[in-house]
PDB file of all heavy atoms in Angstrom:
ATOM      1  N   LEU A  57      81.865  75.676 119.174  1.00 77.00           N
ATOM      2  CA  LEU A  57      81.400  76.489 118.081  1.00 77.00           C
ATOM      3  C   LEU A  57      82.502  77.165 117.362  1.00 77.00           C
ATOM      4  O   LEU A  57      82.574  77.268 116.098  1.00 77.00           O
ATOM      5  CB  LEU A  57      80.420  77.513 118.563  1.00 77.00           C
ATOM      6  CG  LEU A  57      78.955  77.041 119.045  1.00 77.00           C
ATOM      7  CD1 LEU A  57      78.123  78.169 119.591  1.00 77.00           C
ATOM      8  CD2 LEU A  57      78.318  76.285 117.997  1.00 77.00           C
ATOM      9  N   GLY A  58      83.544  77.664 118.198  1.00 84.00           N
ATOM     10  CA  GLY A  58      84.607  78.320 117.626  1.00 84.00           C
ATOM     11  C   GLY A  58      85.442  77.359 116.714  1.00 84.00           C
ATOM     12  O   GLY A  58      85.835  77.704 115.620  1.00 84.00           O
ATOM     13  N   VAL A  59      85.714  76.082 117.330  1.00 86.00           N
ATOM     14  CA  VAL A  59      86.533  75.196 116.540  1.00 86.00           C
ATOM     15  C   VAL A  59      85.791  74.845 115.261  1.00 86.00           C
ATOM     16  O   VAL A  59      86.414  74.539 114.121  1.00 86.00           O
ATOM     17  CB  VAL A  59      86.888  74.034 117.375  1.00 86.00           C
ATOM     18  CG1 VAL A  59      87.447  72.889 116.693  1.00 86.00           C
ATOM     19  CG2 VAL A  59      87.823  74.401 118.662  1.00 86.00           C
ATOM     20  N   ALA A  60      84.462  74.666 115.361  1.00 81.00           N
ATOM     21  CA  ALA A  60      83.680  74.302 114.299  1.00 81.00           C
ATOM     22  C   ALA A  60      83.668  75.299 113.163  1.00 81.00           C
ATOM     23  O   ALA A  60      83.961  75.011 111.972  1.00 81.00           O
ATOM     24  CB  ALA A  60      82.131  73.933 114.569  1.00 81.00           C
ATOM     25  N   ASN A  61      83.558  76.523 113.534  1.00 81.00           N
ATOM     26  CA  ASN A  61      83.790  77.655 112.502  1.00 81.00           C
ATOM     27  C   ASN A  61      85.120  77.618 111.930  1.00 81.00           C
ATOM     28  O   ASN A  61      85.233  77.953 110.749  1.00 81.00           O
ATOM     29  CB  ASN A  61      83.414  78.970 113.235  1.00 81.00           C
ATOM     30  CG  ASN A  61      81.912  79.284 113.256  1.00 81.00           C
ATOM     31  OD1 ASN A  61      81.310  79.080 112.183  1.00 81.00           O
ATOM     32  ND2 ASN A  61      81.464  79.765 114.363  1.00 81.00           N
ATOM     33  N   ALA A  62      86.159  77.254 112.686  1.00 88.00           N
ATOM     34  CA  ALA A  62      87.520  77.307 112.174  1.00 88.00           C
ATOM     35  C   ALA A  62      87.609  76.150 111.136  1.00 88.00           C
ATOM     36  O   ALA A  62      88.275  76.248 110.053  1.00 88.00           O
ATOM     37  CB  ALA A  62      88.516  77.011 113.381  1.00 88.00           C
ATOM     38  N   VAL A  63      87.058  75.087 111.478  1.00 86.00           N
ATOM     39  CA  VAL A  63      87.088  73.916 110.520  1.00 86.00           C
ATOM     40  C   VAL A  63      86.336  74.198 109.211  1.00 86.00           C
ATOM     41  O   VAL A  63      86.743  73.993 108.039  1.00 86.00           O
ATOM     42  CB  VAL A  63      86.380  72.650 111.017  1.00 86.00           C
ATOM     43  CG1 VAL A  63      86.137  71.569 110.060  1.00 86.00           C
ATOM     44  CG2 VAL A  63      87.161  72.142 112.170  1.00 86.00           C
ATOM     45  N   ALA A  64      85.056  74.945 109.313  1.00 81.00           N
ATOM     46  CA  ALA A  64      84.388  75.393 108.147  1.00 81.00           C
ATOM     47  C   ALA A  64      85.280  76.370 107.395  1.00 81.00           C
ATOM     48  O   ALA A  64      85.269  76.280 105.992  1.00 81.00           O
ATOM     49  CB  ALA A  64      83.099  76.026 108.547  1.00 81.00           C
ATOM     50  N   ALA A  65      85.814  77.352 107.902  1.00 85.00           N
ATOM     51  CA  ALA A  65      86.661  78.313 107.313  1.00 85.00           C
ATOM     52  C   ALA A  65      87.883  77.579 106.574  1.00 85.00           C
ATOM     53  O   ALA A  65      88.141  77.934 105.326  1.00 85.00           O
ATOM     54  CB  ALA A  65      87.311  79.257 108.177  1.00 85.00           C
ATOM     55  N   GLY A  66      88.474  76.531 107.146  1.00 87.00           N
ATOM     56  CA  GLY A  66      89.568  75.802 106.554  1.00 87.00           C
ATOM     57  C   GLY A  66      89.052  75.006 105.309  1.00 87.00           C
ATOM     58  O   GLY A  66      89.756  75.109 104.286  1.00 87.00           O
ATOM     59  N   LEU A  67      87.956  74.459 105.473  1.00 83.00           N
ATOM     60  CA  LEU A  67      87.422  73.630 104.240  1.00 83.00           C
ATOM     61  C   LEU A  67      87.183  74.686 103.121  1.00 83.00           C
ATOM     62  O   LEU A  67      87.380  74.303 101.941  1.00 83.00           O
ATOM     63  CB  LEU A  67      86.128  72.929 104.639  1.00 83.00           C
ATOM     64  CG  LEU A  67      86.229  71.774 105.766  1.00 83.00           C
ATOM     65  CD1 LEU A  67      84.989  71.318 106.078  1.00 83.00           C
ATOM     66  CD2 LEU A  67      87.123  70.579 105.087  1.00 83.00           C
ATOM     67  N   MET A  68      86.562  75.765 103.439  1.00 81.00           N
ATOM     68  CA  MET A  68      86.244  76.753 102.374  1.00 81.00           C
ATOM     69  C   MET A  68      87.441  77.342 101.647  1.00 81.00           C
ATOM     70  O   MET A  68      87.497  77.547 100.469  1.00 81.00           O
ATOM     71  CB  MET A  68      85.455  77.870 102.928  1.00 81.00           C
ATOM     72  CG  MET A  68      83.949  77.343 103.323  1.00 81.00           C
ATOM     73  SD  MET A  68      83.022  78.790 104.065  1.00 81.00           S
ATOM     74  CE  MET A  68      82.773  79.921 102.594  1.00 81.00           C
ATOM     75  N   LEU A  69      88.507  77.669 102.481  1.00 87.00           N
ATOM     76  CA  LEU A  69      89.712  78.248 102.042  1.00 87.00           C
ATOM     77  C   LEU A  69      90.380  77.069 101.105  1.00 87.00           C
ATOM     78  O   LEU A  69      90.837  77.534 100.005  1.00 87.00           O
ATOM     79  CB  LEU A  69      90.653  78.554 103.177  1.00 87.00           C
ATOM     80  CG  LEU A  69      90.328  79.798 103.894  1.00 87.00           C
ATOM     81  CD1 LEU A  69      91.173  80.076 105.100  1.00 87.00           C
ATOM     82  CD2 LEU A  69      90.276  81.039 103.033  1.00 87.00           C
ATOM     83  N   ALA A  70      90.470  75.990 101.540  1.00 86.00           N
ATOM     84  CA  ALA A  70      91.056  74.873 100.748  1.00 86.00           C
ATOM     85  C   ALA A  70      90.276  74.773  99.384  1.00 86.00           C
ATOM     86  O   ALA A  70      90.986  74.555  98.369  1.00 86.00           O
ATOM     87  CB  ALA A  70      91.276  73.564 101.444  1.00 86.00           C
ATOM     88  N   ALA A  71      89.032  74.680  99.542  1.00 80.00           N
ATOM     89  CA  ALA A  71      88.222  74.418  98.298  1.00 80.00           C
ATOM     90  C   ALA A  71      88.290  75.640  97.385  1.00 80.00           C
ATOM     91  O   ALA A  71      88.331  75.499  96.139  1.00 80.00           O
ATOM     92  CB  ALA A  71      86.728  74.378  98.668  1.00 80.00           C
ATOM     93  N   SER A  72      88.400  76.896  97.940  1.00 83.00           N
ATOM     94  CA  SER A  72      88.647  78.015  97.098  1.00 83.00           C
ATOM     95  C   SER A  72      89.963  77.945  96.273  1.00 83.00           C
ATOM     96  O   SER A  72      89.953  78.281  95.098  1.00 83.00           O
ATOM     97  CB  SER A  72      88.697  79.330  97.946  1.00 83.00           C
ATOM     98  OG  SER A  72      87.452  79.507  98.704  1.00 83.00           O
ATOM     99  N   PHE A  73      91.033  77.647  96.862  1.00 86.00           N
ATOM    100  CA  PHE A  73      92.325  77.589  96.171  1.00 86.00           C
ATOM    101  C   PHE A  73      92.261  76.481  95.282  1.00 86.00           C
ATOM    102  O   PHE A  73      93.049  76.481  94.218  1.00 86.00           O
ATOM    103  CB  PHE A  73      93.400  77.473  97.129  1.00 86.00           C
ATOM    104  CG  PHE A  73      93.774  78.799  97.777  1.00 86.00           C
ATOM    105  CD1 PHE A  73      93.367  79.060  99.107  1.00 86.00           C
ATOM    106  CD2 PHE A  73      94.363  80.024  97.115  1.00 86.00           C
ATOM    107  CE1 PHE A  73      93.624  80.295  99.709  1.00 86.00           C
ATOM    108  CE2 PHE A  73      94.596  81.112  97.715  1.00 86.00           C
ATOM    109  CZ  PHE A  73      94.159  81.353  98.985  1.00 86.00           C
ATOM    110  N   GLY A  74      91.416  75.380  95.486  1.00 81.00           N
ATOM    111  CA  GLY A  74      91.425  74.250  94.581  1.00 81.00           C
ATOM    112  C   GLY A  74      90.622  74.740  93.349  1.00 81.00           C
ATOM    113  O   GLY A  74      91.017  74.304  92.233  1.00 81.00           O
ATOM    114  N   LEU A  75      89.541  75.560  93.546  1.00 79.00           N
ATOM    115  CA  LEU A  75      88.882  76.131  92.291  1.00 79.00           C
ATOM    116  C   LEU A  75      89.894  77.025  91.447  1.00 79.00           C
ATOM    117  O   LEU A  75      89.813  76.970  90.221  1.00 79.00           O
ATOM    118  CB  LEU A  75      87.667  76.936  92.831  1.00 79.00           C
ATOM    119  CG  LEU A  75      86.512  76.311  93.481  1.00 79.00           C
ATOM    120  CD1 LEU A  75      85.542  77.363  94.018  1.00 79.00           C
ATOM    121  CD2 LEU A  75      85.922  75.276  92.444  1.00 79.00           C
ATOM    122  N   ILE A  76      90.621  77.738  92.052  1.00 87.00           N
ATOM    123  CA  ILE A  76      91.631  78.650  91.420  1.00 87.00           C
ATOM    124  C   ILE A  76      92.573  77.843  90.664  1.00 87.00           C
ATOM    125  O   ILE A  76      92.924  78.094  89.485  1.00 87.00           O
ATOM    126  CB  ILE A  76      92.325  79.542  92.355  1.00 87.00           C
ATOM    127  CG1 ILE A  76      91.432  80.740  92.992  1.00 87.00           C
ATOM    128  CG2 ILE A  76      93.554  80.212  91.730  1.00 87.00           C
ATOM    129  CD1 ILE A  76      92.058  81.524  94.090  1.00 87.00           C
ATOM    130  N   TYR A  77      93.035  76.688  91.328  1.00 85.00           N
ATOM    131  CA  TYR A  77      94.080  75.867  90.616  1.00 85.00           C
ATOM    132  C   TYR A  77      93.417  75.231  89.440  1.00 85.00           C
ATOM    133  O   TYR A  77      94.088  75.088  88.367  1.00 85.00           O
ATOM    134  CB  TYR A  77      94.555  74.828  91.537  1.00 85.00           C
ATOM    135  CG  TYR A  77      95.430  73.798  90.959  1.00 85.00           C
ATOM    136  CD1 TYR A  77      96.758  74.091  90.848  1.00 85.00           C
ATOM    137  CD2 TYR A  77      95.051  72.541  90.658  1.00 85.00           C
ATOM    138  CE1 TYR A  77      97.656  73.162  90.361  1.00 85.00           C
ATOM    139  CE2 TYR A  77      95.907  71.623  90.132  1.00 85.00           C
ATOM    140  CZ  TYR A  77      97.237  72.010  90.026  1.00 85.00           C
ATOM    141  OH  TYR A  77      98.147  71.079  89.381  1.00 85.00           O
ATOM    142  N   GLU A  78      92.128  74.840  89.630  1.00 80.00           N
ATOM    143  CA  GLU A  78      91.466  74.156  88.385  1.00 80.00           C
ATOM    144  C   GLU A  78      91.218  75.198  87.373  1.00 80.00           C
ATOM    145  O   GLU A  78      91.428  74.885  86.130  1.00 80.00           O
ATOM    146  CB  GLU A  78      90.063  73.584  88.929  1.00 80.00           C
ATOM    147  CG  GLU A  78      89.227  72.878  87.796  1.00 80.00           C
ATOM    148  CD  GLU A  78      87.941  72.454  88.312  1.00 80.00           C
ATOM    149  OE1 GLU A  78      87.702  72.403  89.500  1.00 80.00           O
ATOM    150  OE2 GLU A  78      87.136  72.083  87.475  1.00 80.00           O
ATOM    151  N   GLY A  79      90.898  76.398  87.580  1.00 84.00           N
ATOM    152  CA  GLY A  79      90.681  77.350  86.607  1.00 84.00           C
ATOM    153  C   GLY A  79      91.768  77.881  85.896  1.00 84.00           C
ATOM    154  O   GLY A  79      91.790  78.167  84.703  1.00 84.00           O
ATOM    155  N   VAL A  80      92.964  77.944  86.554  1.00 88.00           N
ATOM    156  CA  VAL A  80      94.277  78.310  85.892  1.00 88.00           C
ATOM    157  C   VAL A  80      94.561  77.376  84.731  1.00 88.00           C
ATOM    158  O   VAL A  80      95.115  77.895  83.717  1.00 88.00           O
ATOM    159  CB  VAL A  80      95.458  78.308  86.889  1.00 88.00           C
ATOM    160  CG1 VAL A  80      96.754  78.429  86.224  1.00 88.00           C
ATOM    161  CG2 VAL A  80      95.226  79.443  87.920  1.00 88.00           C
ATOM    162  N   GLY A  81      94.154  76.176  84.776  1.00 85.00           N
ATOM    163  CA  GLY A  81      94.292  75.263  83.625  1.00 85.00           C
ATOM    164  C   GLY A  81      93.741  75.701  82.372  1.00 85.00           C
ATOM    165  O   GLY A  81      93.992  75.174  81.328  1.00 85.00           O
ATOM    166  N   TYR A  82      92.570  76.463  82.527  1.00 84.00           N
ATOM    167  CA  TYR A  82      91.879  77.029  81.366  1.00 84.00           C
ATOM    168  C   TYR A  82      92.398  78.373  80.920  1.00 84.00           C
ATOM    169  O   TYR A  82      92.616  78.592  79.757  1.00 84.00           O
ATOM    170  CB  TYR A  82      90.395  77.172  81.745  1.00 84.00           C
ATOM    171  CG  TYR A  82      89.762  75.771  81.881  1.00 84.00           C
ATOM    172  CD1 TYR A  82      89.511  75.153  83.126  1.00 84.00           C
ATOM    173  CD2 TYR A  82      89.135  75.186  80.776  1.00 84.00           C
ATOM    174  CE1 TYR A  82      88.900  73.983  83.256  1.00 84.00           C
ATOM    175  CE2 TYR A  82      88.418  73.957  80.952  1.00 84.00           C
ATOM    176  CZ  TYR A  82      88.346  73.246  82.246  1.00 84.00           C
ATOM    177  OH  TYR A  82      87.714  72.120  82.370  1.00 84.00           O
ATOM    178  N   SER A  83      92.551  79.316  81.874  1.00 88.00           N
ATOM    179  CA  SER A  83      92.949  80.705  81.572  1.00 88.00           C
ATOM    180  C   SER A  83      93.242  81.366  82.865  1.00 88.00           C
ATOM    181  O   SER A  83      92.265  81.604  83.748  1.00 88.00           O
ATOM    182  CB  SER A  83      91.862  81.432  80.845  1.00 88.00           C
ATOM    183  OG  SER A  83      92.185  82.761  80.676  1.00 88.00           O
ATOM    184  N   LEU A  84      94.479  81.726  83.082  1.00 92.00           N
ATOM    185  CA  LEU A  84      94.900  82.573  84.307  1.00 92.00           C
ATOM    186  C   LEU A  84      94.227  83.908  84.289  1.00 92.00           C
ATOM    187  O   LEU A  84      93.735  84.290  85.410  1.00 92.00           O
ATOM    188  CB  LEU A  84      96.499  82.748  84.327  1.00 92.00           C
ATOM    189  CG  LEU A  84      96.963  83.448  85.500  1.00 92.00           C
ATOM    190  CD1 LEU A  84      96.586  82.901  86.828  1.00 92.00           C
ATOM    191  CD2 LEU A  84      98.468  83.510  85.412  1.00 92.00           C
ATOM    192  N   PRO A  85      94.307  84.609  83.369  1.00 93.00           N
ATOM    193  CA  PRO A  85      93.697  86.004  83.362  1.00 93.00           C
ATOM    194  C   PRO A  85      92.187  85.970  83.640  1.00 93.00           C
ATOM    195  O   PRO A  85      91.671  86.782  84.506  1.00 93.00           O
ATOM    196  CB  PRO A  85      93.903  86.579  81.943  1.00 93.00           C
ATOM    197  CG  PRO A  85      95.045  85.815  81.386  1.00 93.00           C
ATOM    198  CD  PRO A  85      94.964  84.452  82.041  1.00 93.00           C
ATOM    199  N   ARG A  86      91.322  85.024  83.083  1.00 92.00           N
ATOM    200  CA  ARG A  86      90.056  84.912  83.411  1.00 92.00           C
ATOM    201  C   ARG A  86      89.760  84.525  84.909  1.00 92.00           C
ATOM    202  O   ARG A  86      88.775  85.001  85.421  1.00 92.00           O
ATOM    203  CB  ARG A  86      89.350  83.966  82.471  1.00 92.00           C
ATOM    204  CG  ARG A  86      89.301  84.413  81.089  1.00 92.00           C
ATOM    205  CD  ARG A  86      88.743  83.429  80.033  1.00 92.00           C
ATOM    206  NE  ARG A  86      88.922  83.835  78.588  1.00 92.00           N
ATOM    207  CZ  ARG A  86      88.699  83.036  77.638  1.00 92.00           C
ATOM    208  NH1 ARG A  86      88.566  81.657  77.848  1.00 92.00           N
ATOM    209  NH2 ARG A  86      88.849  83.577  76.394  1.00 92.00           N
ATOM    210  N   VAL A  87      90.578  83.563  85.385  1.00 91.00           N
ATOM    211  CA  VAL A  87      90.436  83.269  86.771  1.00 91.00           C
ATOM    212  C   VAL A  87      90.639  84.485  87.657  1.00 91.00           C
ATOM    213  O   VAL A  87      89.923  84.677  88.667  1.00 91.00           O
ATOM    214  CB  VAL A  87      91.438  82.120  87.184  1.00 91.00           C
ATOM    215  CG1 VAL A  87      91.389  81.916  88.679  1.00 91.00           C
ATOM    216  CG2 VAL A  87      91.130  80.800  86.410  1.00 91.00           C
ATOM    217  N   LEU A  88      91.770  85.231  87.471  1.00 94.00           N
ATOM    218  CA  LEU A  88      92.040  86.309  88.350  1.00 94.00           C
ATOM    219  C   LEU A  88      90.999  87.468  88.261  1.00 94.00           C
ATOM    220  O   LEU A  88      90.603  88.043  89.151  1.00 94.00           O
ATOM    221  CB  LEU A  88      93.478  86.859  87.923  1.00 94.00           C
ATOM    222  CG  LEU A  88      94.617  85.995  88.127  1.00 94.00           C
ATOM    223  CD1 LEU A  88      95.951  86.794  87.698  1.00 94.00           C
ATOM    224  CD2 LEU A  88      94.773  85.527  89.566  1.00 94.00           C
ATOM    225  N   LEU A  89      90.446  87.652  86.979  1.00 94.00           N
ATOM    226  CA  LEU A  89      89.386  88.597  86.796  1.00 94.00           C
ATOM    227  C   LEU A  89      88.163  88.026  87.696  1.00 94.00           C
ATOM    228  O   LEU A  89      87.481  88.883  88.303  1.00 94.00           O
ATOM    229  CB  LEU A  89      89.061  88.693  85.252  1.00 94.00           C
ATOM    230  CG  LEU A  89      87.767  89.605  85.057  1.00 94.00           C
ATOM    231  CD1 LEU A  89      88.073  91.035  85.525  1.00 94.00           C
ATOM    232  CD2 LEU A  89      87.447  89.535  83.638  1.00 94.00           C
ATOM    233  N   GLY A  90      87.915  86.755  87.544  1.00 89.00           N
ATOM    234  CA  GLY A  90      86.742  86.274  88.313  1.00 89.00           C
ATOM    235  C   GLY A  90      86.970  86.466  89.877  1.00 89.00           C
ATOM    236  O   GLY A  90      86.003  86.734  90.630  1.00 89.00           O
ATOM    237  N   VAL A  91      88.113  86.230  90.312  1.00 91.00           N
ATOM    238  CA  VAL A  91      88.488  86.334  91.759  1.00 91.00           C
ATOM    239  C   VAL A  91      88.150  87.844  92.142  1.00 91.00           C
ATOM    240  O   VAL A  91      87.591  88.021  93.231  1.00 91.00           O
ATOM    241  CB  VAL A  91      89.874  86.094  92.083  1.00 91.00           C
ATOM    242  CG1 VAL A  91      90.246  86.555  93.543  1.00 91.00           C
ATOM    243  CG2 VAL A  91      90.183  84.543  91.859  1.00 91.00           C
ATOM    244  N   LEU A  92      88.578  88.850  91.428  1.00 94.00           N
ATOM    245  CA  LEU A  92      88.350  90.253  91.771  1.00 94.00           C
ATOM    246  C   LEU A  92      86.913  90.631  91.629  1.00 94.00           C
ATOM    247  O   LEU A  92      86.415  91.356  92.515  1.00 94.00           O
ATOM    248  CB  LEU A  92      89.187  91.122  90.823  1.00 94.00           C
ATOM    249  CG  LEU A  92      90.703  90.949  90.871  1.00 94.00           C
ATOM    250  CD1 LEU A  92      91.481  91.959  89.889  1.00 94.00           C
ATOM    251  CD2 LEU A  92      91.206  91.328  92.391  1.00 94.00           C
ATOM    252  N   VAL A  93      86.188  90.042  90.725  1.00 90.00           N
ATOM    253  CA  VAL A  93      84.746  90.393  90.539  1.00 90.00           C
ATOM    254  C   VAL A  93      84.005  89.750  91.676  1.00 90.00           C
ATOM    255  O   VAL A  93      83.155  90.216  92.284  1.00 90.00           O
ATOM    256  CB  VAL A  93      84.212  89.932  89.185  1.00 90.00           C
ATOM    257  CG1 VAL A  93      82.687  90.097  89.149  1.00 90.00           C
ATOM    258  CG2 VAL A  93      84.838  90.769  88.116  1.00 90.00           C
ATOM    259  N   GLY A  94      84.407  88.507  92.008  1.00 85.00           N
ATOM    260  CA  GLY A  94      83.821  87.747  93.100  1.00 85.00           C
ATOM    261  C   GLY A  94      83.945  88.544  94.474  1.00 85.00           C
ATOM    262  O   GLY A  94      83.064  88.542  95.236  1.00 85.00           O
ATOM    263  N   LEU A  95      85.292  89.027  94.656  1.00 88.00           N
ATOM    264  CA  LEU A  95      85.578  89.817  95.915  1.00 88.00           C
ATOM    265  C   LEU A  95      84.662  91.048  95.972  1.00 88.00           C
ATOM    266  O   LEU A  95      84.042  91.351  96.983  1.00 88.00           O
ATOM    267  CB  LEU A  95      86.901  90.191  95.855  1.00 88.00           C
ATOM    268  CG  LEU A  95      87.386  91.143  96.841  1.00 88.00           C
ATOM    269  CD1 LEU A  95      87.172  90.583  98.276  1.00 88.00           C
ATOM    270  CD2 LEU A  95      88.811  91.708  96.730  1.00 88.00           C
TER     271      LEU A  95
END
């Protein structure tokens, strides 16, 4: 279970930074604002 949760966390972290990378291509300030509001 612990390893499975670690895998899930890794997939989510990588996907998250993939979203940020994709969004930066449109607008860095809007992406950063979105990150803070999402947090």
Side-chain angles (χ1 to χ4, degrees):
L57 291 178
V59 172
N61 274 317
V63 171
L67 293 174
M68 291 179 65
L69 286 173
S72 298
F73 286 105
L75 293 175
I76 292 174
Y77 179 79
E78 181 181 347
V80 166
Y82 290 92
S83 170
L84 175 60
R86 289 173 188 165
V87 170
L88 295 180
L89 176 61
V91 169
L92 295 177
V93 174
L95 171 62

